[in-house]
Amino acid sequence: MVRDYSAFMPGAAVPQNEPTPLERLGWGPAFSQQIEADALTATPPVRVVAVHRSGLQVLGDGIQTKLPPMAEATVGDWVLYDANSPRDSRVLERKSLIKRRAPGHDRSEQLIAANIDTVFVVTSCNQDFNVARLERYLALAFEAGIEPVILLTKPDLTDDAQSYVEQAKAISDRVAVLAINAKSDQPAEALADWCRKGRTVAFLGSSGVGKSTLTNALLGADAIATQGIREDDARGRHTTTHRELHQIPSGAIVLDTPGMRELQLTDAASGIAAVFEDIDDLAAACRFNDCKHEGEPGCAVQAAVADGTLDPDRLERWRKLQAEDAFNSATLAQRRGKDRAFGKMVKSAMKDKSNRRG
Ligand SMILES: Nc1nc2c(ncn2[C@@H]2O[C@H](COP(=O)(O)OP(=O)(O)OP(=O)(O)O)[C@@H](O)[C@H]2O)c(=O)[nH]1
Ligand SMILES: [Mg+2]
Ligand SMILES: [Zn+2]
């Protein structure tokens, strides 16, 4: 199916006070200040609106084209489009970047999305709901410097939506939590504060939680395929297979993503600290600076567990996430080191070769 991108591309004349075609795509000072005015015509900015295996779908002011796959670009990125040599198109500095450790044995990192203003972490009021997984998503967003919001879909299918809301609220004071029926007319109004003109928001979460249903609700159209009715829709096949931006009537840009099976954090220490701010605050009051909270005297963390103010399971999840992040970050650093060493080796081999030739 070829998407109709005409909504992104109004006619040439833009009335005053109306957003320009680039602003409609989320363009703003954070990007324009990175380039000289004459670069705008030589290498015009385009936004990556979809990532396919075969390449990047990009849109700009009167530009709609596909770029070859570029490892350093991801959906949401702004790229200075070099029509003569598309591969050399330069990625502009980002406002934010969401990344994770690539699934599988490869230790590399995977870029998920760039220049997102709000991450909606979506889960459902059913067996998909999992506090540990929510904590991961929140850490991912905080690490990227993005405001996360938790959305609990399918409240209409349970009598107990409020208990899910309470469990989600207990994770962090800094995160708004909303129960929302994605199949109703609630989403546009409920999410309006975050979906203002020119803002880019993303739905992240497992398969089947309603990310595409929410995107359709914001679009006001059933433009995107969603899962059919099944007995158990909390698990199973993935319906959305690629990441794509959609422009919605409010003027915001919405990223629908495929469900993630596995979310491993890497280089996310500050994101984890933000989610577990309460434990970090307690740790600051421990007698020893390097307290491991494993029975040392004067440990404020263990004291909080003992007096019931800190859930021991939460402490355990914090430890686990920190350990995982430390391991992944170290292996990634090692890999980067190796890549650099390999790069140097290739360079010096090339130099030898040209020296020999010369
Ligand atoms: N009753 C009810 N059904 C919902 C709600 N949200 C989503 N659904 C249904 O759940 C199923 C899965 O929704 P999708 O929007 O396809 O889920 P997704 O998160 O996009 O899934 P992937 O694309 O596989 O990642 C569909 O049948 C939706 O109609 C809700 O709030 N209430
Ligand atoms: Mg989907
Ligand atoms: Zn301690």
Side-chain angles (χ1 to χ4, degrees), residues 22 25 27 31-32 35 39-47 58-61 63 78-81 90 92:
L22 287 183
L25 286 160
W27 182 255
F31 308 108
S32 56
I35 52 176
L40 277 173
T41 41
T43 50
V46 292
R47 193 162 195 197
V58 298
L59 285 183
D61 186 355
I63 302 172
W78 281 99
V79 172
L80 296 182
Y81 173 54
R90 180 164 74 87
L92 288 182

Side-chain angles (χ1 to χ4, degrees), residues 279 282-303 319:
I279 303 183
L282 285 168
C286 292
R287 185 178 307 159
F288 300 115
N289 274 340
D290 59 350
C291 185
K292 299 270 184 294
H293 326 302
E294 283 167 353
E296 292 94 329
C299 174
V301 173
Q302 286 300 344
R319 285 190 201 284

Side-chain angles (χ1 to χ4, degrees), residues 20-200:
T20 64
L22 287 183
E23 283 166 349
R24 292 171 60 106
L25 286 160
W27 182 255
F31 308 108
S32 56
Q33 69 192 17
Q34 295 181 45
I35 52 176
E36 307 285 334
D38 52 352
L40 277 173
T41 41
T43 50
V46 292
R47 193 162 195 197
V48 178
V49 295
V51 175
H52 301 277
R53 254 178 241 287
S54 57
L56 309 171
Q57 181 72 46
V58 298
L59 285 183
D61 186 355
I63 302 172
Q64 174 180 335
T65 186
K66 210 162 169 180
L67 297 184
M70 291 168 33
E72 69 278 18
T74 186
V75 71
D77 261 324
W78 281 99
V79 172
L80 296 182
Y81 173 54
D82 185 337
N84 298 321
S85 177
R87 243 168 241 288
D88 296 325
S89 299
R90 180 164 74 87
V91 179
L92 288 182
E93 206 176 296
R94 296 147 172 151
K95 280 200 286 187
S96 65
L97 175 65
I98 307 176
K99 59 183 186 178
R100 66 167 168 175
R101 183 184 145 166
H105 295 298
D106 187 7
R107 291 171 185 169
S108 61
E109 60 185 9
Q110 181 192 23
L111 306 186
I112 296 172
N115 301 317
I116 302 295
D117 297 300
T118 302
V119 164
F120 292 115
V121 178
V122 188
T123 180
S124 300
C125 300
N126 61 22
Q127 64 272 35
D128 182 76
F129 185 93
N130 178 305
V131 170
R133 178 141 34 76
L134 284 173
E135 288 164 345
R136 276 170 194 269
Y137 277 106
L138 297 184
L140 185 81
F142 279 131
E143 182 66 36
I146 303 171
E147 174 190 25
V149 175
I150 297 176
L151 301 183
L152 299 168
T153 57
K154 314 193 186 183
D156 51 310
L157 302 179
T158 170
D159 299 330
D160 206 16
Q162 197 49 36
S163 84
Y164 289 98
V165 170
E166 276 153 27
Q167 288 180 69
K169 280 194 171 154
I171 298 173
S172 169
D173 299 341
R174 293 160 64 166
V175 181
V177 177
L178 270 75
I180 185 169
N181 179 349
K183 285 175 79 172
S184 71
D185 55 7
Q186 291 172 2
E189 208 181 306
L191 307 184
D193 264 1
W194 295 283
C195 297
R196 293 187 306 272
K197 206 170 280 180
R199 307 250 314 164
T200 306

Side-chain angles (χ1 to χ4, degrees), residues 199-222:
R199 307 250 314 164
T200 306
V201 303
F203 292 116
L204 298 184
S206 316
S207 184
V209 294
K211 300 178 298 297
S212 299
T213 308
L214 285 163
T215 307
N216 278 334
L218 295 181
L219 275 167
D222 279 344

Side-chain angles (χ1 to χ4, degrees), residues 211-212 224-225 239-240 256-258:
K211 300 178 298 297
S212 299
I224 310 162
T239 303
T240 306
D256 185 20
T257 64

